[in-house]
Amino acid sequence: MSFSACCRIPRVPWTCGRTLRNRSLSSVSLPMSDPLPDSPSPEPFAKPQLHGIQISKLENGLTVTSLESHSPMARVGLFVKAGSRYESPRILGVSHYLRATSFMATTDRTAFRVSREIDHLGGNMSASSTRDHFIFSAECMRDYIEPVIETFGSASLSPVYHPWEVSDQSRLVELELAMAAQSPHVGVVEDLHKAAFRFNLGNSLYCLPHRVGTFTPEQLHSFVSSHFQPSRMVLAGVGVSHDELVKCATASFGRASSRLNDPREPSKYFGGGEIRTETSSDLVHAALVSQGTSLGEGDYLSVAVLQRVLGVTPFIKWGSNAVSSRVNKAAVEAAGGSPAMASSYNASHSDNGLFGLYVICYAENASKVIKAAVGEFASAAMGNISEKEVARAKNQLKANIMMNNEDPAVLLNDIGTQVSLNGSYTSAQAAAEAVDRITPDQVIKVAKRIFNGKPTFVARGKLHDTPDL
Amino acid sequence: PLFRSRRKMAVSRVAQASLINRLWNGLAAWTVNQSGFQKLGLWREDLIMDDDPDVKEALRRLPTDEINLRNFRLKRALDLSMKHALLPKDEWTKPVEDKSYLMPMLEEVKKERKEREIWDRQ
């Protein structure tokens, strides 16, 4: 007894048999679920240490951040401040080309080796970009993050962009443009940003069709060399140990030095713009927005609550959203029998955002439906928001935040973007607590401010009935 | 004294290497001239034909200007050959003009193919 008591090694009952030897087994008649009377209970299985998020900075300015989730799969992402907003007017669309040519030949690897190595390790790699960031991301087994980060390092710091690779990837760019043209909602969102912000955040994520095939390697190189610098990069990982991540980052990125950075040009919301595109579609996609809020601003969560008060996409599969979505209800009622859908639209970027309504309706009664949806927004802005609605919206927002953060890919995106823009991370828990503190007055105030802002309108479809701004 | 003789040996070695080299190069140049492609205005690497898939890929990667010049030279040579004529002597390809535009690209293509094959064999 004393021997096993002073030992720290976890013991299973049958191994500390000293006491058992002193009694015959026939006298032990316990069910299997209970421990034997004299044996010490085994020490509980050591729970893995849960760290919060850890952030460290290398000498050349690269920020490394990770969250240890003890999962067997690791997800790493390199977030570079080189989104479409940093394109200068002469090379619009270069970020689309960069997405297409990201994992091609570098100075020390051929394109074949890059892709085959990752396949060999059983991982996935992808490159994507938002308006603010260019993101290399990969998922792989925990033990293999070192070759993945090496690939990130060479792909971001020393790509070669052979002329034939760039022209081969024009086909991919064309394909992506064709796929984007298929969904009118993509066109509406791009036009919305163009009309609202014009130059900065207004740069489209997609290459202009006539520019496909005209980008030279020199243009790609100049964009990369000015924006892909360690001080503008954040290497984020979920499911990796921080020390290992820092080690890999130093090995792959340590040799690079950062040049002096151009400060980010602040974006400006111009209101009053309107872009109407006549297409042959019978369904009109229209969006009416005004200036919203940016990531990291104080009323970011209030705006999100307002979004859910007004109504978002359906929560019940195949169900109608008439009950829980105010604008949708107004739109459906105004449309009579024809199909219609309305939802609030909320887009936030690093220093600016858009908030408004997105309406899809039949071309014949577009003006009725759009006006009804806007009327609903107006009544909300004038104070017609009940406590119950706000409580419902807050719960939905909290659930949304929590559920999204369960997905490691979304979590990685969240961590990378936050650390890159703010230098720190607000966890889902903290965000949910902040949501709890929101009052209906705040929501009404935010609704008033947005409703009184200068509106921007975009419409796409057969527009004979769609009103002008 | 040892040092001076080493220098002498070095000098004479350089001169000797140059002499052998010069003789060899002279013989090579004469052989090459005998084939007569420069009389049709062709460069040495225009003669590498694209029945080899590696050459095809290397030609695909060359910049358009080089390809256009190559095609022009080949067309001119075909035309002359049809007429059983040669270019006037001052237009023959001079050795200094005969640049190597295809071989570096061809070597890279072969290297990449070998890498693929090694990977696939593993």
Side-chain angles (χ1 to χ4, degrees), chain A residues 275-349:
Chain A
I275 296 185
R276 302 166 67 97
T277 318
E278 292 275 349
T279 66
S280 58
S281 154
D282 276 326
L283 281 179
V284 168
H285 287 246
L288 178 69
V289 295
S290 80
Q291 188 172 27
T293 177
S294 68
L295 297 170
E297 240 186 67
D299 54 0
Y300 176 62
L301 289 171
S302 316
V303 171
V305 171
L306 174 65
Q307 181 188 9
R308 280 157 182 82
V309 164
L310 289 176
V312 290
T313 45
F315 288 96
I316 301 175
K317 216 169 170 179
W318 312 123
S320 89
N321 210 16
V323 175
S324 64
S325 169
R326 286 170 63 162
V327 292
N328 199 23
K329 190 149 143 235
V332 165
E333 281 173 4
S338 53
M341 200 193 99
S343 129
S344 54
Y345 177 80
N346 182 11
S348 294
H349 305 289

Side-chain angles (χ1 to χ4, degrees), chain A residues 168-221:
Chain A
D168 283 348
Q169 294 302 95
S170 308
R171 291 204 310 266
L172 178 63
V173 171
E174 273 175 29
L175 175 66
E176 290 186 351
L177 282 176
M179 289 193 331
Q182 282 220 331
S183 69
H185 135 262
V186 169
V188 167
V189 168
E190 298 296 315
D191 283 344
L192 206 55
H193 282 87
K194 177 117 214 123
F197 298 115
R198 291 190 201 164
F199 52 88
N200 201 320
L201 287 175
N203 289 342
S204 172
L205 289 170
Y206 292 92
C207 189
L208 293 166
H210 67 268
R211 285 200 185 204
V212 173
T214 63
F215 280 102
T216 65
E218 290 77 34
Q219 287 171 323
L220 296 178
H221 272 298

